[in-house]
Structure formats: C-alpha cells, structure tokens
Amino acid sequence: MQALIEMIIGFIAFMAAAALAQFGVESRAEPTSNPEVHRVIECDKQPSSAVLVGTAPKRGC
C-alpha cells in the first residue's frame, strides 16, 4: 500500500515538474554565474619595416 502511495506521489511530482517546465521553471536548476567578459583592443598592424624604427610601443596593445 505504501508503495502505491509513493508511486502516486512520484507521478504527481513528475506531472507538476512537466507542467512547470512549460513555463521555464526548473526544480533542479543549478545556480549559474555570469561569464566574465574581457574586452580586447585590436591594434592596427604595422608593416614589418616598422620593427626597425625605434618608436615606443602603445601601452594598450
């Protein structure tokens, strides 16, 4: 008798989870952290002859 009651409770829980999943609610959703975003500055490529010139490099590049 107890097994029948547990099976009915499990079925009701399954149906409730399926109904809530239609609205985007998840009962076992793990907390997710926001991904870190690192912005990178793209530097202009200079011709290879610029290597021989003694200019100071840009700090952002």
Side-chain angles (χ1 to χ4, degrees):
M1 186 67 167
Q2 185 177 355
L4 177 64
I5 293 172
E6 289 178 4
M7 187 174 71
I8 292 172
I9 291 172
F11 181 72
I12 292 172
F14 175 74
M15 293 302 290
L20 291 175
Q22 296 295 320
F23 300 106
V25 178
E26 294 184 18
S27 61
R28 295 184 183 244
E30 296 179 7
T32 58
S33 62
N34 293 333
E36 294 183 19
V37 177
H38 299 281
R39 302 206 184 267
V40 179
I41 299 172
E42 293 185 18
C43 299
D44 295 332
K45 291 188 176 184
Q46 298 177 356
S48 61
S49 63
V51 175
L52 301 175
V53 179
T55 59
K58 295 180 182 177
R59 290 192 175 259
C61 297

